[in-house]
Amino acid sequence: MGKVFEPNFIWLDRVDSTNSYCMKLAENGDPEGLVVAAYFQEQGRGQRGNTWESERGKNLTFSLLLRPTFMRVEEQFSISKMIALSICDWLKSKKIKPLIKWPNDIYVGDKKIAGILIENSFSSPILDISIIGIGLNLNQTFFSPEIPNPTSLLLLTGMSHRPENVLSELIMSIQTRYLQLKNGLKEKVSDDYLKSLYRFQILSNYSSIDGPFKAKIIGVKPLGELILETENGQQKSFGFKEITFENETKITTN
Ligand code: BTN
């Protein structure tokens, strides 16, 4: 495979957040392929204003700069799908069976092994800068009790992994999937994403502003909203902050 971008790796001993650092370099004109990784983040950021905790040197915390100028602003959720799939591809190469919890958490069973924080900037109508922040738990075995359901590769496989090696491999997985988007294979990326979706077609518990309800995930809209079908056959769609996944039920539909 020809390289879709040339990676330029920067490893930092510590930083506030690799996403913030990477964004500054992007705004100063750094080219696509910049990878900023840190052994420790003082203010690692997660989705919905949460923090991202990671024990010093144990895991992978990094940000990749992409300049997907071939994409329109309204296609930005494809980046999210492509990155989630790249992490799944890499985990599968380690004999793990990952799932994507909408929109882009990476799960193994009912536990989270990786999180993604994507920060885009636009020169409308074009996607100009995409900072892809990834936290992947490799060798951490104890987590703060506030973290809801974490796991790591070491906990799952009993094997430790060097963050530097994982980073190189993961960047190759991202290059493969990014090339699919560049080559117009957006539908393939969407199909693979749906196939990997946690709780896809499984009747489960959710809650929204209207209270708790049971439904099954039946799709995802192009802009990223989740489409659910309730028990009485009604279709509803939800944006990122509009729905919570509640505990899994044992009810499975055919
Ligand atoms: C989530 O909440 O699941 C997203 C977590 C994203 C964490 C990564 S770690 C590297 C990058 N830098 C950050 O500050 N956050 C992302």
Side-chain angles (χ1 to χ4, degrees):
M1 181 201 68
K3 278 189 183 159
V4 61
F5 55 77
E6 192 60 49
N8 171 25
F9 294 97
I10 298 181
W11 274 94
L12 301 172
D13 185 49
R14 62 163 64 210
V15 69
D16 52 353
S17 152
T18 57
N19 262 36
S20 311
Y21 193 97
C22 194
M23 182 58 96
K24 276 184 216 134
L25 294 186
E27 285 168 352
N28 279 338
D30 266 49
E32 180 165 82
L34 171 70
V35 181
V36 178
Y39 293 103
F40 184 66
Q41 292 188 117
E42 285 151 352
Q43 289 169 309
R45 294 188 280 115
Q47 291 161 17
R48 301 182 181 86
N50 291 329
T51 54
W52 182 259
E53 263 189 55
S54 180
E55 206 179 319
R56 164 181 289 281
K58 293 255 164 127
N59 304 313
L60 192 52
T61 50
F62 75 98
S63 304
L64 164 68
L65 164 60
L66 294 181
R67 294 188 179 273
T69 47
F70 61 96
M71 292 177 74
R72 297 174 65 84
V73 172
E74 62 272 20
E75 293 175 307
Q76 61 185 286
F77 194 65
S78 294
I79 300 273
S80 202
K81 292 179 191 171
M82 169 289 271
I83 292 296
L85 283 170
S86 310
I87 300 173
C88 290
D89 292 344
W90 182 80
L91 284 168
K92 283 180 189 165
S93 78
K94 303 292 161 195
K95 307 276 176 280
I96 299 280
K97 288 187 182 151
L99 289 170
I100 302 166
K101 183 178 172 196
W102 176 87
N104 58 17
D105 285 343
I106 309 300
Y107 267 54
V108 182
D110 286 314
K111 296 193 169 183
K112 180 165 167 174
I113 189 165
I116 303 170
L117 178 67
I118 299 179
E119 295 177 304
N120 293 322
S121 112
F122 320 107
S123 295
S124 202
I126 294 301
L127 254 182
D128 186 29
I129 293 176
S130 191
I131 306 291
I132 315 289
I134 297 178
L136 171 60
N137 295 334
L138 298 177
N139 306 314
Q140 189 164 338
T141 48
F142 294 98
F143 294 88
S144 318
E146 304 88 69
I147 303 179
N149 45 7
T151 191
S152 69
L153 209 52
L154 177 57
L155 285 173
L156 290 167
T157 65
M159 288 186 3
S160 32
H161 287 76
R162 289 192 61 203
E164 297 85 349
N165 297 346
V166 174
L167 181 58
S168 306
E169 292 174 14
L170 197 50
I171 292 296
M172 283 195 264
S173 298
I174 292 174
Q175 285 179 316
T176 305
R177 287 285 181 181
Y178 190 45
L179 198 60
Q180 291 180 343
L181 282 190
K182 267 201 150 165
N183 288 343
L185 298 177
K186 209 174 123 185
E187 289 308 313
K188 174 170 175 46
V189 170
S190 294
D191 287 354
D192 289 353
Y193 175 84
L194 270 194
K195 280 185 206 145
S196 302
L197 213 51
Y198 173 76
R199 290 190 181 178
F200 186 58
Q201 298 282 19
I202 296 172
L203 191 64
S204 306
N205 291 323
Y206 298 91
S207 60
S208 71
I209 195 160
D210 300 323
F213 63 99
K214 276 198 167 67
K216 59 183 179 181
I217 297 173
I218 58 166
V220 175
K221 289 190 174 177
L223 293 182
E225 294 105 320
L226 188 66
I227 315 170
L228 294 171
E229 189 178 287
T230 60
E231 281 178 302
N232 56 17
Q234 201 191 353
Q235 280 192 18
K236 292 182 171 185
S237 54
F238 297 90
F240 298 132
K241 291 177 185 167
E242 296 170 356
I243 185 165
T244 309
F245 285 55
E246 301 297 351
N247 282 338
E248 181 73 281
T249 65
K250 295 277 178 251
I251 311 163
T252 307
T253 53
N254 46 15

